[in-house]
Amino acid sequence: METAYNLIGAGLIVIGGGIGLGQIGGKAMEAIARQPEAAGKIQTAMIIIGALLEGLAFGALLLGKN
Amino acid sequence: METAYNLIGAGLIVIGGGIGLGQIGGKAMEAIARQPEAAGKIQTAMIIIGALLEGLAFGALLLGKN
Amino acid sequence: METAYNLIGAGLIVIGGGIGLGQIGGKAMEAIARQPEAAGKIQTAMIIIGALLEGLAFGALLLGKN
Amino acid sequence: METAYNLIGAGLIVIGGGIGLGQIGGKAMEAIARQPEAAGKIQTAMIIIGALLEGLAFGALLLGKN
Amino acid sequence: METAYNLIGAGLIVIGGGIGLGQIGGKAMEAIARQPEAAGKIQTAMIIIGALLEGLAFGALLLGKN
Amino acid sequence: METAYNLIGAGLIVIGGGIGLGQIGGKAMEAIARQPEAAGKIQTAMIIIGALLEGLAFGALLLGKN
Amino acid sequence: METAYNLIGAGLIVIGGGIGLGQIGGKAMEAIARQPEAAGKIQTAMIIIGALLEGLAFGALLLGKN
Amino acid sequence: METAYNLIGAGLIVIGGGIGLGQIGGKAMEAIARQPEAAGKIQTAMIIIGALLEGLAFGALLLGKN
Amino acid sequence: METAYNLIGAGLIVIGGGIGLGQIGGKAMEAIARQPEAAGKIQTAMIIIGALLEGLAFGALLLGKN
Amino acid sequence: METAYNLIGAGLIVIGGGIGLGQIGGKAMEAIARQPEAAGKIQTAMIIIGALLEGLAFGALLLGKN
Amino acid sequence: METAYNLIGAGLIVIGGGIGLGQIGGKAMEAIARQPEAAGKIQTAMIIIGALLEGLAFGALLLGKN
Amino acid sequence: METAYNLIGAGLIVIGGGIGLGQIGGKAMEAIARQPEAAGKIQTAMIIIGALLEGLAFGALLLGKN
Amino acid sequence: METAYNLIGAGLIVIGGGIGLGQIGGKAMEAIARQPEAAGKIQTAMIIIGALLEGLAFGALLLGKN
Amino acid sequence: METAYNLIGAGLIVIGGGIGLGQIGGKAMEAIARQPEAAGKIQTAMIIIGALLEGLAFGALLLGKN
């Protein structure tokens, strides 16, 4: 039964990541469509904040597991 | 009973992925419709962020299982 | 009782898929209605992101079951 | 008591399908009302994405049951 | 106590159907009010997608019960 | 205690019906107010989709009970 | 303890009725305010759909109780 | 402990009534502010639909209790 | 432990009342701000529908308690 | 353990009061900002409906406790 | 374990207070920004309704505790 | 196990505080951006209502703990 | 099992902080984009309210733990 | 079973972080698209508030674990 609860916890992490990355990615595309010439700046910010969240998610996954 | 809880956890992961990918994909199409000539840049950003989320989901699926 | 929990887990996967595919498909149609001449590009993006989510859902269904 | 939990799981699948198909169908009609002359393209996209979701729902129903 | 859980499961199916059919039917009427001359096309789409969902709901009801 | 769980299940069915019929009926009235001369077509669509949902609700009520 | 669960089930039925009737009634008034001269048609539709839901609610109340 | 569950059930009924009556009453006032000269018709509709919901709530309260 | 569950039930009643009265009162003020000269009619309607909900809440409180 | 459940019930009452009073108070301020010269009428209505809700909350607190 | 449930109950009270005070305070600032010259009237109303809610919250905290 | 439930209760308090302070702070900034010259009045109101909520949160934290 | 419940409680605190800080930070950026020349005032308010919430969160974390 | 609950707690932390960072990052991109020349100021604010939340999340992860 151990692995099953593990997957539920992992599922919550992915929900968290999905809420965050979906919001970030969706708005990033909206922003590019509005200012195509600012696509570079937007993609930079998207990757910074995306990496911050991705790091938090994998950090929690590994710290929560050990 | 083991496999059943597994599926519930996997279901939460798919919910997370669905929230994120749905938001990303939906906004991407909205953006293409608004700026058809920026479709290349938008699709690039869509695939980057989508891969980030897809990677998180499969990583959680495998890490949560072992 | 085994199969019943299985169905609940499978139901969560379909909810995840429904949220994602509904969002993707709904926005895709909205986008086609706004730019009918960009229907090709939009349908390409819709199928890419839809396949990504479909793959995640079936992958979770099979991985979560075994 | 077996069949009862089965129905709850099946109910979740229908909720998932209802969220997705409702969103897809509702937006499709909105789109047809906005661009009646693009009704063919829209209906094609509606049936592709609807079949994708319908397939996922029945696949989950059968895989989750056995 | 058997039949009671059955009704809860059946209730979830109706909730799923209500979300989907309500969304489909509501948008269909909105669409007819916007383009009364396109009422035929809209009603066709409404019946296709409605039948898809109705079929899923009854399929789940029967498959989940046996 | 049997009848009490029955009522909870029946309550869920009515919630499903309320979400659907409320959405359908509310949008129908909005549509009539916008196009009073299209009231006939709108009422036809309202009754078709309403009957579809009503049928699903009573079918689930009877199938879930036996 | 029997009657208490009964009241919870009855409460869910009233929640369902409240969601539906509130939506129907609220939109009906909005519609009358927009087209006061169409008040007759709107009230007819309001009573048809309201009776449909009221009938479902009392049917569920009685069927769920016996 | 009997009376306590009773109160929880009664609370759900009041939540249902609050959602419905709040929606009905709130929209009625909005409608009167928009068309002060149609206040009579609006108040008639408000009282019909309000009485319908009030009747359902008290009917459920009494039927659920016995 | 008796009184504690009582308070939970009473809390649900107040939540119901708060949703309803907040919606009614909030919209009433919005309406007065839009049509200050119709303040009398609006306040009449506000008190009728408020009394209806207040009566339901206290009726449920007393009936649920005995 | 008695007092703890008491606090949970009391917390639900405050949530109900917060939803209602927040809605009432927030809209009242919005209304004053829109029609500063109608501030008297608005404050009268705000206090009537606020007192109604406050009375319901304290009535439920005392009745639920004894 | 006593104090822990106490904190959960207290947490629900703060959630209620946060919903209410946040709504009141947020709208108050919005109102001041729209009508800076009516800041006095708005702040008066904000403090009346805020005190009403604060009083309810502390009253519930003390009554629920004893 | 004592401290764990404590943290859950404390978490609910922070959720309450986050909903309230986030709403207050977010609207305050929106207001300053709209009327930069009214920043003083807005900050005064922000601190009054923020202190009210902060006081409620710490009061509940300490009262709920002892 | 002790540390696990601790993490759940800590998770609720972070949810509270995320709701609040996200709202504050998001609106702050919106505000800067609208009034770039008022960026100083906005950042001051953002840090005051952010520190208030951060302090509440860490205070609850430490008080809830001991 | 220990590690599993740990992952659930960690999942809640990531949900909190995802709500916050998603809101912050999404609004930041929207803001850059609106004022590309203010991208520096916006990115500064984004990193300050993001670091605040990131710090809270990791602090809660470590404090909740020990």
Side-chain angles (χ1 to χ4, degrees):
Chain A
M1 221 162 141
E2 182 105 39
T3 66
Y5 277 109
N6 265 348
L7 266 176
I8 292 178
L12 291 178
I13 289 178
V14 178
I15 289 179
I19 293 172
L21 288 175
Q23 195 79 358
I24 293 168
K27 292 276 179 183
M29 274 159 230
E30 217 176 290
I32 293 175
R34 221 149 95 186
Q35 297 284 120
E37 68 275 16
K41 285 187 196 171
I42 291 165
Q43 226 169 33
T44 309
M46 182 186 90
I47 286 170
I48 292 175
I49 201 89
L52 232 117
L53 184 50
E54 191 87 6
L56 175 60
F58 273 108
L61 199 58
L62 294 178
L63 268 167
K65 204 156 169 201
N66 299 129
Chain B
M1 220 161 141
E2 182 105 39
T3 66
Y5 277 108
N6 265 348
L7 266 176
I8 292 178
L12 291 178
I13 289 178
V14 178
I15 289 179
I19 293 172
L21 288 175
Q23 195 79 357
I24 294 168
K27 293 276 179 184
M29 274 158 230
E30 216 175 290
I32 293 175
R34 221 149 97 187
Q35 297 284 121
E37 68 275 15
K41 285 187 197 171
I42 291 165
Q43 226 168 34
T44 310
M46 182 186 90
I47 287 170
I48 293 174
I49 201 88
L52 232 117
L53 184 50
E54 191 86 6
L56 176 60
F58 273 108
L61 199 59
L62 295 178
L63 268 167
K65 204 156 168 201
N66 299 128
Chain C
M1 219 161 142
E2 182 106 39
T3 66
Y5 277 108
N6 265 348
L7 266 175
I8 292 178
L12 291 178
I13 289 178
V14 178
I15 288 180
I19 292 172
L21 288 174
Q23 195 79 356
I24 294 169
K27 292 276 179 183
M29 274 158 230
E30 216 175 291
I32 294 176
R34 220 148 98 187
Q35 297 283 120
E37 68 276 16
K41 286 186 196 170
I42 291 165
Q43 226 168 33
T44 310
M46 182 186 90
I47 287 170
I48 293 175
I49 201 89
L52 232 116
L53 184 51
E54 191 87 6
L56 175 60
F58 273 108
L61 199 59
L62 294 178
L63 268 167
K65 204 155 168 201
N66 300 128
Chain D
M1 219 161 142
E2 181 106 38
T3 66
Y5 277 108
N6 265 348
L7 266 176
I8 292 177
L12 291 177
I13 289 179
V14 178
I15 289 180
I19 293 171
L21 288 174
Q23 195 79 357
I24 294 169
K27 292 276 180 184
M29 274 158 230
E30 215 175 292
I32 294 175
R34 220 149 98 186
Q35 297 284 120
E37 69 275 15
K41 286 186 195 170
I42 291 165
Q43 226 169 34
T44 310
M46 182 186 90
I47 286 171
I48 292 176
I49 202 89
L52 233 116
L53 183 51
E54 191 86 6
L56 175 60
F58 273 109
L61 199 59
L62 295 178
L63 268 167
K65 203 154 168 201
N66 300 128
Chain E
M1 219 161 142
E2 181 106 39
T3 66
Y5 278 109
N6 265 348
L7 266 176
I8 292 177
L12 291 178
I13 289 179
V14 178
I15 288 179
I19 293 171
L21 287 174
Q23 194 80 358
I24 294 169
K27 293 276 180 183
M29 274 159 231
E30 216 176 291
I32 293 176
R34 221 149 97 187
Q35 297 284 121
E37 68 275 16
K41 286 186 195 169
I42 290 164
Q43 226 169 34
T44 310
M46 182 186 90
I47 287 171
I48 292 176
I49 202 89
L52 233 117
L53 183 51
E54 191 87 5
L56 175 59
F58 273 109
L61 199 60
L62 294 178
L63 269 167
K65 205 158 165 197
N66 299 129
Chain F
M1 220 161 140
E2 182 106 38
T3 66
Y5 277 108
N6 265 348
L7 266 176
I8 291 177
L12 290 178
I13 290 178
V14 178
I15 288 179
I19 293 172
L21 288 174
Q23 194 80 357
I24 295 168
K27 293 276 180 182
M29 273 159 232
E30 216 176 289
I32 293 176
R34 220 150 96 188
Q35 297 284 120
E37 68 275 14
K41 285 186 195 169
I42 291 165
Q43 225 169 35
T44 310
M46 183 186 90
I47 287 170
I48 293 175
I49 202 89
L52 233 117
L53 184 51
E54 190 87 5
L56 175 59
F58 273 109
L61 199 60
L62 295 178
L63 269 167
K65 205 159 165 197
N66 299 129
Chain G
M1 220 162 140
E2 182 106 38
T3 66
Y5 277 109
N6 265 348
L7 266 176
I8 292 177
L12 291 178
I13 290 179
V14 177
I15 289 179
I19 293 172
L21 288 175
Q23 194 80 359
I24 295 168
K27 293 275 180 184
M29 273 159 233
E30 216 176 290
I32 293 176
R34 220 149 96 188
Q35 298 284 121
E37 68 275 14
K41 285 186 195 170
I42 291 165
Q43 225 169 35
T44 310
M46 183 186 90
I47 287 170
I48 292 176
I49 203 89
L52 234 117
L53 183 50
E54 190 88 5
L56 175 59
F58 273 109
L61 198 60
L62 295 178
L63 269 167
K65 204 157 167 200
N66 300 129
Chain H
M1 219 161 139
E2 182 107 39
T3 67
Y5 277 109
N6 265 348
L7 266 176
I8 292 177
L12 291 178
I13 289 179
V14 178
I15 289 179
I19 293 172
L21 288 175
Q23 194 81 358
I24 294 169
K27 292 276 180 183
M29 273 159 233
E30 215 176 290
I32 293 176
R34 221 149 96 187
Q35 298 284 122
E37 68 276 14
K41 286 186 195 170
I42 291 166
Q43 225 169 34
T44 310
M46 183 186 91
I47 287 170
I48 292 176
I49 203 89
L52 233 116
L53 183 50
E54 190 88 5
L56 176 59
F58 274 108
L61 199 59
L62 295 179
L63 269 168
K65 206 159 166 197
N66 299 129
Chain I
M1 221 163 137
E2 182 106 39
T3 67
Y5 277 110
N6 265 349
L7 265 176
I8 292 177
L12 291 177
I13 290 179
V14 178
I15 288 179
I19 294 172
L21 288 175
Q23 194 80 359
I24 294 169
K27 293 276 180 184
M29 273 159 232
E30 215 177 291
I32 293 176
R34 221 149 95 186
Q35 297 284 122
E37 69 276 14
K41 285 186 196 170
I42 291 165
Q43 226 169 33
T44 310
M46 183 186 90
I47 287 170
I48 292 175
I49 203 88
L52 233 116
L53 184 50
E54 191 88 4
L56 176 59
F58 273 108
L61 199 59
L62 295 178
L63 268 168
K65 204 156 170 201
N66 299 128
Chain J
M1 220 161 139
E2 183 107 38
T3 66
Y5 277 110
N6 265 349
L7 265 176
I8 292 177
L12 291 178
I13 289 180
V14 178
I15 289 179
I19 294 172
L21 288 175
Q23 195 80 358
I24 294 169
K27 292 277 179 183
M29 274 158 230
E30 215 176 290
I32 293 176
R34 220 148 96 188
Q35 297 284 121
E37 69 276 16
K41 285 186 196 170
I42 291 166
Q43 226 170 33
T44 311
M46 183 187 90
I47 287 170
I48 292 175
I49 203 88
L52 233 116
L53 184 50
E54 190 87 5
L56 177 58
F58 274 108
L61 198 60
L62 294 179
L63 268 168
K65 207 161 167 196
N66 298 129
Chain K
M1 221 162 140
E2 182 107 38
T3 66
Y5 278 109
N6 265 348
L7 265 177
I8 292 178
L12 291 178
I13 289 180
V14 178
I15 288 180
I19 294 172
L21 288 175
Q23 195 79 359
I24 294 169
K27 292 277 179 183
M29 274 158 230
E30 216 176 290
I32 293 175
R34 221 148 95 188
Q35 298 284 122
E37 69 276 15
K41 285 186 196 169
I42 290 165
Q43 225 169 34
T44 311
M46 183 187 90
I47 286 169
I48 293 175
I49 203 89
L52 233 116
L53 184 50
E54 190 88 5
L56 176 59
F58 273 108
L61 198 59
L62 295 178
L63 268 168
K65 207 162 166 196
N66 298 128
Chain L
M1 221 161 141
E2 182 107 37
T3 66
Y5 277 110
N6 265 348
L7 265 177
I8 292 178
L12 291 178
I13 289 179
V14 178
I15 289 179
I19 293 172
L21 288 175
Q23 195 79 0
I24 293 168
K27 292 277 178 183
M29 274 159 229
E30 216 176 290
I32 294 175
R34 221 149 95 188
Q35 297 283 121
E37 69 275 15
K41 286 186 195 169
I42 291 165
Q43 226 170 33
T44 310
M46 183 187 90
I47 286 170
I48 292 175
I49 202 89
L52 232 115
L53 185 49
E54 190 88 5
L56 176 59
F58 273 108
L61 198 59
L62 294 179
L63 268 168
K65 207 161 166 196
N66 299 128
Chain M
M1 222 163 139
E2 183 106 38
T3 67
Y5 277 109
N6 265 349
L7 265 177
I8 292 178
L12 291 178
I13 289 179
V14 178
I15 289 179
I19 294 172
L21 287 175
Q23 195 79 0
I24 294 168
K27 292 276 179 183
M29 274 159 230
E30 218 177 289
I32 293 175
R34 221 149 95 187
Q35 297 283 122
E37 69 275 16
K41 286 187 195 170
I42 291 165
Q43 226 169 34
T44 310
M46 183 186 91
I47 286 170
I48 292 175
I49 202 89
L52 232 116
L53 185 49
E54 191 88 6
L56 176 59
F58 273 108
L61 199 59
L62 294 179
L63 268 168
K65 206 158 168 200
N66 299 128
Chain N
M1 222 163 139
E2 183 105 39
T3 67
Y5 277 109
N6 265 349
L7 265 177
I8 292 177
L12 291 178
I13 289 178
V14 178
I15 289 180
I19 293 172
L21 288 175
Q23 195 78 0
I24 293 168
K27 292 276 178 183
M29 274 159 230
E30 217 176 289
I32 293 175
R34 221 150 96 188
Q35 298 283 121
E37 69 275 17
K41 286 187 195 170
I42 290 165
Q43 227 170 32
T44 310
M46 183 186 91
I47 287 170
I48 292 174
I49 202 88
L52 232 116
L53 184 50
E54 191 87 5
L56 176 59
F58 273 108
L61 199 59
L62 294 178
L63 268 168
K65 205 157 169 200
N66 299 130

